[in-house]
Amino acid sequence: MFLAIFISPEQINYLDFLRENDHLTRPNENLSNPEIQTRIKQYEMSYRMQSAVPELTDLSKEASSTIKLYGPDCLVPGTYAANCLLARKLSESGVRFVQLYHQGWDTHGNLEGDMRMQAEDVDRASAALITDLKQRGLLDETLVIWGGEFGRTNYCQGKIDAVNYGRDHHPKCFSIWMAGGGVKPGVYGETDEFGYNINSLPVHVHDFHATVMHLMGIDHERFTFKHQGRRY
């Protein structure tokens, strides 16, 4: 991915020369092999992506107020805060899809210590990303989705004592949040008083996908097809 950093001006000139001569040898694009043209365009796009990496990963030009917003961890490569700042820079540069991961939420034990550490990792940086997108006028056209694969039980797993206890996987109910991209503010759905099951306004994964597609201006029905009597 970082090979583009080492491409010299001479190499760039040579590639430009090859591209110009390639077009001269193919005056009629309709007669050329479409597979070859597709492959050439793929390599050219790959080069453009590689050549953009040094500027995107350079945080030296970020304002001190931006660094303060995300927190000092945003200057440490590989941290969630650094990835949030990079996500903003990618979105600002026109990248259409960015996905961030933050691992370590499988708290079967040591819940109090691990959850505190996880929250400290993600809370400030996630809020900073939304604030940063908004103040740059990007949030209206950027959909932010923050979620996981399932929830956790509302009761303890295994032995419980003052310093070590955990919670198991719980698929019956859990929450996600979204921001930007035309999302309306508010809370949708409600669990019972124990947080064990859904009381009202459940959201099926198909409905969630349809909502996301709607926010992107896509009619999800156009992607629905019937197979053996079922609509997918």
Side-chain angles (χ1 to χ4, degrees):
M1 183 175 182
F2 296 94
L3 290 177
I5 298 174
F6 306 107
I7 294 180
S8 66
E10 292 78 12
Q11 289 174 304
I12 294 176
N13 292 335
Y14 179 66
L15 292 173
D16 289 339
F17 172 78
L18 289 178
R19 186 182 301 108
E20 291 174 3
N21 279 272
D22 180 59
H23 289 304
L24 289 175
T25 58
R26 296 181 289 102
N28 190 339
E29 292 288 339
N30 294 326
L31 298 179
S32 61
N33 188 319
E35 293 186 6
I36 294 177
Q37 292 306 303
T38 300
R39 183 62 61 88
I40 290 174
K41 291 179 180 178
Q42 288 175 340
Y43 278 114
E44 289 178 343
M45 181 178 66
S46 177
Y47 165 73
R48 290 194 300 271
M49 293 172 64
Q50 290 176 348
S51 61
V53 167
E55 182 178 356
L56 284 172
T57 56
D58 179 14
L59 304 181
S60 63
K61 298 179 182 178
E62 292 294 324
S64 58
S65 58
T66 301
I67 303 301
K68 183 178 180 180
L69 181 66
Y70 285 87
D73 280 352
C74 75
L75 297 176
V76 181
T79 61
Y80 181 77
N83 288 339
C84 282
L85 180 52
L86 181 59
R88 188 226 78 204
K89 297 190 69 173
L90 288 169
S91 298
E92 196 173 31
S93 299
V95 177
R96 300 179 65 85
F97 180 83
V98 180
Q99 186 170 3
L100 304 182
Y101 288 94
H102 188 268
Q103 300 180 345
W105 294 87
D106 202 16
T107 49
H108 293 279
N110 192 31
L111 176 65
E112 182 177 358
D114 285 350
M115 189 60 66
R116 187 188 307 274
M117 180 178 63
Q118 296 294 87
E120 288 176 351
D121 270 354
V122 302
D123 283 0
R124 179 175 181 174
S126 298
L129 174 59
I130 294 174
T131 301
D132 204 6
L133 289 170
K134 185 175 182 179
Q135 67 188 9
R136 294 169 188 271
L138 296 171
L139 189 58
D140 289 342
E141 61 186 35
T142 304
L143 176 62
V144 180
I145 302 173
W146 202 103
E149 57 183 339
F150 44 67
R152 311 299 298 195
T153 54
N154 60 346
Y155 49 83
C156 177
Q157 177 186 21
K159 296 181 179 180
I160 180 172
D161 57 47
V163 295
N164 189 12
Y165 54 91
R167 297 192 297 173
D168 203 355
H169 303 170
H170 188 68
K172 291 183 179 295
C173 57
F174 61 98
S175 301
I176 68 169
W177 59 260
M178 298 190 292
V183 172
K184 297 180 180 179
V187 178
Y188 190 89
E190 184 180 85
T191 67
D192 57 40
E193 59 182 318
F194 300 106
Y196 183 81
N197 215 335
I198 300 171
N199 257 4
S200 64
L201 301 176
V203 179
H204 193 279
V205 64
H206 295 328
D207 295 326
F208 172 69
H209 287 164
T211 301
V212 171
M213 295 176 75
H214 172 74
L215 292 169
M216 294 181 176
I218 302 172
D219 179 8
H220 74 279
E221 292 284 352
R222 294 180 59 192
F223 292 86
T224 303
F225 66 95
K226 292 183 179 180
H227 177 67
Q228 294 184 348
R230 181 179 174 185
R231 290 169 62 84
Y232 288 86

